[in-house]
């Protein structure tokens, strides 16, 4: 059991960090360069020089470019219209088109974000080049989404969320399986025939798992630091404080499920049901803001979403308590409510 | 008999599961310090009744008063005063002998010192001093049952409920088990025990015999044998239940309890 408790987080972190990371290293990129000016060459070179892009050559026209995307030889097309360089020189504006294969939406938005940032970079260079003294005329920063994660490192973004999954899964299963296991082997009957108070029993079940899950979190943080070199900008005590409240929610939830079920199989099934929904909707994979309204409504009762949000804020932005007060108080209410609910649902007399 | 001497008093106790009646208007009393045998074939409704008496399950109707409290109304007060050994072994297999004593002693609010003393007392009595730090799962069933009995008695309850405590246990260990029961009764604990073994019925001061949810006979083994004009409890039982009992495992000092006679 002890091994499981420590092997699972390592495995989860190592596998999930890579599996759910959409980081794209080698975007195969082609151009349709109708301009063929110094400017267009420079821009293409800029793409080529970036670690993310791998230049696969120039296509003559849209048809050829499309063919390359369909046959999966390219992911992205940069279209430069004739006169691009000339217009830049004379009118100081210019436009290019970026076409991205969006079969995988997440990958696509990332690729297009990379492309935008390179173009913006080039933009800045031109402005500096043309305006070496007056440096203030920078275009609007097109990189807001990369704050706090300047290298666009997806793993950095994902790991705080995966750490939340780790304690959630461990906590939910430990608590969800334990009580129902006692029902299956019959030890619960021996407990139920003692004068133990219901809250004492639930607390007695909760505290050991709470300690284990906190140790797992610490363990996960160490791995995150050592293996992925994830920055932990915010306060660790604050992180563990919030985690401790969050764990009361998750553990009470697991205990509630096991008071309602009679076999480990039932408990497993119901735990999975909630875990899958909570995790898919947690904002780990898709930002909650881009979910449909009804999904956002559901997320107001999703504890995983709250803690992922807080954990990212603490670890990546160094946010303090005041920055996530609202989420924190919701978790507090949730924790108290779930603890009371699971205590009430635990029946000593059938 | 003085009413106040009744540590268990059951009146018109009924338990239904849906349309099935598992306990059908049970009426009986058990006196303080008595060893009361609660007999009946498999499925007669013994466990159902014992669970109601120990506050694990609510009666459908009727009253059960245990150690002075109505179990339906004050289950926790009853639970303070009883010990219970379930039909299924239910100490923690992944804890040591000592840990099990400490755990249950702790739940009943015993001091560390008193738990230590009790543990030593029982381990000595069971001659199990060397088992102290062994996990329960490493110990044979018969020994485990004796430990479970000791744990059920750790808080010196007024009544101890034993649901088939010797099921599947060898005859020697069963004898030792009954010595423990007598020991505890000598100290004033009332023992309410269900059993399959008719030789064990003879060890009880009084027994009741249940069949299909009803109590069909109640009295001392001597009186019941006389009433039914037979020589063994086995025969009494067969006449009432009309179904032969499982034969006891191994030989007993009452060889004729093997005899099965279906009238
Ligand atoms: N929770 C329950 N739901 C439905 N039927 C039950 C339940 N518990 C016991 N029974 C039924 O009640 C009858 C008596 O069971 P039980 O009291 O366990 O018998 P015994 O202990 O005498 O062998 C059996 O027929 C059993 O199937
Ligand atoms: Mg039974």
């Amino acid at each position: 059991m002890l091994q499981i408790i420590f092997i699972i987080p390592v495995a989860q972190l190592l596998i999930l960090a890579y599996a759910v990371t959409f980081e794209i290293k080698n975007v195969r990129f082609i151009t349709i360069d109708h301009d063929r000016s110094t400017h267009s060459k420079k821009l293409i070179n800029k793409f080529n020089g970036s670690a993310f892009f791998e230049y696969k050559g120039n296509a003559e026209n849209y048809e050829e470019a499309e063919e390359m995307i369909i046959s999966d030889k390219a992911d992205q097309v940069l279209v430069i219209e004739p006169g691009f360089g000339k217009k830049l020189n004379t009118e100081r504006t210019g436009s290019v088109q970026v076409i991205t294969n969006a079969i995988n939406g997440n990958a696509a938005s990332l690729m297009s974000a990379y492309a935008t940032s390179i173009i913006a970079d080039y933009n800045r260079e031109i402005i500096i080049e043309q305006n070496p003294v007056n440096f203030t005329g920078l275009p609007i920063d097109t990189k807001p989404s990369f704050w706090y994660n300047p290298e666009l490192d997806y793993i950095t973004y994902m790991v705080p969320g995966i750490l939340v999954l780790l304690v959630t899964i461990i906590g939910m299963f430990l608590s969800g399986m334990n009580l129902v296991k006692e029902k299956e082997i019959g030890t619960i009957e021996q407990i139920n025939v003692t004068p133990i108070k219901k809250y004492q029993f639930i607390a007695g079940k909760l505290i050991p798992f709470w300690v284990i899950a906190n140790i797992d979190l610490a363990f996960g943080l160490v791995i995150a630091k050592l293996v992925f070199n994830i920055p932990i900008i915010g306060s660790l005590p604050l992180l563990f404080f919030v985690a401790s409240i969050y764990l009361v929610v998750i553990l009470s939830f697991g205990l509630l499920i096991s008071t309602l079920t009679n076999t480990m199989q039932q408990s497993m099934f119901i735990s999975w049901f909630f875990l899958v929904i909570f995790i898919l909707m947690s904002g780990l994979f898709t930002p909650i803001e881009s979910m449909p309204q009804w999904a956002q409504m559901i997320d107001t009762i999703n504890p995983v979403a709250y803690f992922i949000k807080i954990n990212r804020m603490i670890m990546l932005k160094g946010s303090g308590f005041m920055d996530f007060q609202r989420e924190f108080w919701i978790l507090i209410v949730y924790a108290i409510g779930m603890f009371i609910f699971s205590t009430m649902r635990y029946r000593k007399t059938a | 008999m003085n009413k106040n001497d009744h540590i268990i008093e059951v009146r018109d106790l009924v338990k239904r599961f849906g349309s099935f009646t598992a306990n059908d208007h049970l009426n009986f009393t058990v006196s303080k310090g008595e060893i009361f045998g609660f007999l009946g074939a498999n499925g007669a409704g013994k466990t159902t009744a014992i669970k109601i008496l120990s506050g694990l399950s609510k009666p459908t109707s009727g009253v059960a008063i245990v150690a002075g409290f109505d179990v339906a109304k004050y289950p926790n007060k009853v639970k303070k005063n009883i010990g219970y050994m379930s039909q299924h072994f239910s100490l923690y297999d992944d804890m040591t002998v000592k840990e099990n004593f400490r755990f249950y002693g702790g739940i009943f609010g015993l001091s560390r010192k008193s738990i230590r003393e009790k543990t030593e007392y029982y381990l000595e009595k069971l001659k199990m001093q060397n088992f102290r730090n062994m996990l329960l799962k490493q110990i044979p069933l018969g020994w485990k049952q004796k430990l479970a009995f000791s744990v059920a008695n750790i808080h010196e309850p007024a009544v101890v409920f034993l649901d088939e405590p010797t099921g599947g246990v060898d005859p020697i260990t069963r004898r030792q088990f009954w010595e423990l029961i007598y020991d505890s009764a000598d100290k004033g604990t009332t023992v309410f025990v269900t059993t399959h073994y008719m030789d064990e019925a003879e060890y009880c001061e009084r027994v009741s015999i249940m069949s299909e949810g009803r109590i069909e006979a109640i009295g001392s083994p001597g009186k019941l044998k006389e009433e039914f004009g037979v020589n063994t409890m086995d025969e009494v039982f067969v006449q009432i239940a009309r179904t032969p009992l499982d034969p006891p495992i191994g030989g007993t000092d009452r060889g004729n309890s093997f005899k099965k006679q279906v009238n």
Side-chain angles (χ1 to χ4, degrees), chain A residues 157-347:
Chain A
Y157 182 65
M158 292 309 279
V159 164
I162 295 170
L163 285 173
V164 172
L165 290 200
L166 187 151
V167 294
T168 307
I169 292 171
I170 286 272
M172 190 91 154
F173 280 121
L174 282 180
S175 58
M177 294 296 129
N178 181 281
L179 211 163
V180 77
K181 180 176 162 214
E182 290 213 32
K183 281 189 198 173
E184 279 192 359
I185 59 180
T187 44
I188 191 100
E189 211 171 77
Q190 202 65 46
I191 298 282
N192 286 348
V193 83
T194 69
I196 194 169
K197 300 263 191 317
K198 296 206 283 181
Y199 74 86
Q200 291 173 330
F201 178 76
I202 294 292
K205 284 284 167 204
L206 200 141
I207 291 167
F209 300 140
W210 183 81
V211 172
I212 290 172
N214 266 313
I215 293 174
D216 260 345
L217 177 61
F219 199 53
L221 281 166
V222 170
I223 293 172
K225 188 80 205 163
L226 293 183
V227 178
F228 299 110
N229 197 25
I230 307 295
I232 303 170
I233 297 168
S235 146
L236 272 180
L238 182 63
L239 175 55
F240 276 95
F241 178 60
V242 180
S244 297
I245 305 295
Y246 170 74
L247 282 170
V248 174
V249 179
I250 291 302
L251 295 171
S252 301
F253 203 94
L255 288 172
L256 174 67
I257 290 172
S258 62
T259 61
L260 295 170
T261 51
N262 291 313
T263 63
M264 296 219 250
Q265 203 176 20
Q266 289 172 348
S267 174
M268 185 87 137
F269 192 75
I270 298 179
S271 302
W272 263 118
F273 174 80
F274 282 105
L275 270 182
V276 167
I277 291 180
F278 280 169
I279 291 174
L280 285 180
M281 301 187 68
S282 66
L284 180 65
F285 309 102
T286 320
I288 293 172
E289 294 73 24
S290 52
M291 289 183 190
Q293 197 63 39
W294 61 266
Q296 296 195 24
M297 291 279 288
I298 292 177
D299 264 330
T300 57
I301 58 157
N302 184 353
V304 184
Y306 288 116
F307 190 39
I308 286 187
K309 183 170 180 191
I310 295 177
N311 200 28
R312 277 179 176 156
M313 287 172 81
I314 296 178
M315 283 180 68
L316 302 181
K317 289 206 245 173
S319 302
F321 179 77
M322 288 303 169
D323 302 317
F324 50 76
Q325 247 197 90
R326 194 184 80 90
E327 286 79 7
F328 177 80
W329 290 117
I330 291 172
L331 281 181
I332 289 270
V333 171
Y334 215 143
I336 295 170
M338 286 310 285
F339 184 81
I340 291 175
F341 197 32
S342 60
T343 302
M344 273 166 47
R345 280 303 319 176
Y346 163 52
R347 296 280 149 86

Side-chain angles (χ1 to χ4, degrees), chain A residues 88-130:
Chain A
L88 258 188
N89 284 336
T90 56
E91 296 170 34
R92 293 192 168 187
T93 78
S95 60
V96 293
Q97 185 188 8
V98 176
I99 302 167
T100 308
N101 176 5
I103 295 278
N104 178 343
N106 280 305
S109 57
L110 202 65
M111 285 191 272
S112 112
Y114 287 162
T116 313
S117 87
I118 288 194
I119 294 165
D121 232 28
Y122 184 62
N123 219 353
R124 197 167 323 167
E125 269 173 30
I126 297 169
I127 291 168
I128 294 169
E129 211 173 84
Q130 293 174 343

Side-chain angles (χ1 to χ4, degrees), chain B residues 187-200:
Chain B
K187 280 195 258 159
T189 303
T190 308
V191 179
F192 186 101
V193 57
T194 76
T195 178
H196 254 103
Y197 301 108
M198 282 308 122
D199 57 321
E200 291 185 347

